[in-house]
Amino acid sequence: MSTNGIRGAAPVTPQPPLVPASESAFHHLTALSYTSPGIRAGDDMTTRGVRSRLGAILAGAFADRGLPFDLGNRAFLRDRGDVLLLMLPMTVPTHVVYDVFATGVHAGVRTFNRRGGASFASENATLEVRVAQHFGRVHFDGLGVFGRSLDVLRTLLAACAPGEYMHLLSDPYYRDLRSATLVDPDDHEEITAIGTDMAPHRGWLRVPDPHPAVGAGRTALHSA
């Protein structure tokens, strides 16, 4: 019996794939990017601590709304260093997914920056978080996930300017919330994000107080 070359190791039981290779489905899509100004280059221990705290903030915000934050069949998470991709099925109401980030995660980041950063080796280890939300069809294969909706999401995320907490909604996502009077239009500014295909994508930027100066109708060029 194979033990993968490790003496005394238990046989490895193949795990089923997270989703079938041919599956494609509509999902709530959230991309979250973070930086931590003040951390010295190469300070992996402080970076580890900040990542751990961010994970706790996310897990708490999801748990408060009865949603899982794991690799189960309801929430799908991909970590690419400083970018997280989270997907939830469309059976979860849009306003619940929005509230996870607009309220729960934002409050957690603000609390960390007011009280938690000083507990790390670098007292300037604060969090700057950018969030983009969209929904659309995502396809799965043996290499991961792909789809036009993810390209739009990446373009929107790149259009977020730096700040403590910047939150950008795609036009369809915003209009879905707006039609149910779940967002205040006075809290959002329309922007146009331009992707690598030079196609314009309308987005709605929410900048929590304190509100930095931003120009109406701003255009952001994404060249990833």
Side-chain angles (χ1 to χ4, degrees):
M1 181 178 294
S2 171
T3 59
N4 288 342
I6 302 175
R7 186 182 301 275
V12 175
T13 302
Q15 297 297 311
L18 193 61
V19 292
S22 61
E23 182 176 345
S24 65
F26 279 88
H27 283 77
H28 294 282
L29 306 172
T30 301
L32 183 150
S33 175
Y34 67 94
T35 57
S36 188
I39 294 182
R40 297 183 301 273
D43 186 356
D44 289 346
M45 292 304 295
T46 303
T47 299
R48 182 187 298 273
V50 169
R51 283 170 57 82
S52 176
R53 188 64 62 86
L54 178 60
I57 290 171
L58 285 163
F62 271 65
D64 286 347
R65 290 149 186 86
L67 297 174
F69 181 70
D70 54 31
L71 287 173
N73 59 11
R74 292 194 66 210
F76 187 85
L77 168 68
R78 280 289 185 262
D79 185 351
R80 293 293 182 265
D82 62 349
V83 177
L84 297 174
L85 168 65
L86 302 104
M87 299 193 294
L88 285 163
M90 295 300 293
T91 51
V92 182
T94 303
H95 72 275
V96 174
V97 182
Y98 170 76
D99 187 54
V100 167
F101 296 92
T103 304
V105 177
H106 174 216
V109 169
R110 176 164 288 183
T111 297
F112 172 82
N113 286 343
R114 301 299 181 269
R115 299 186 305 199
S119 66
F120 290 93
S122 171
E123 62 182 17
N124 295 318
T126 56
L127 274 169
E128 290 186 354
V129 173
R130 298 180 300 160
V131 174
Q133 292 191 278
H134 183 40
F135 43 48
R137 186 174 294 279
V138 176
H139 308 281
F140 303 84
D141 63 13
L143 298 176
V145 294
F146 65 97
R148 175 63 175 165
S149 58
L150 294 175
D151 296 338
V152 173
L153 186 70
R154 184 173 63 238
T155 296
L156 293 172
L157 184 66
C160 285
E164 180 181 66
Y165 199 83
M166 310 296 284
H167 193 173
L168 183 60
L169 306 177
S170 72
D171 190 56
Y173 214 86
Y174 171 80
R175 293 191 179 281
D176 189 57
L177 292 165
R178 176 80 184 274
S179 65
T181 64
L182 295 170
V183 291
D184 186 344
D186 291 337
D187 292 340
H188 293 79
E189 175 193 8
E190 181 180 352
I191 72 166
T192 301
I194 300 176
T196 54
D197 59 358
M198 302 309 293
H201 301 286
R202 180 184 296 176
W204 296 88
L205 180 66
R206 174 179 172 267
V207 184
D209 291 334
H211 196 301
V214 289
R218 183 176 57 186
T219 296
L221 179 64
H222 168 44
S223 56

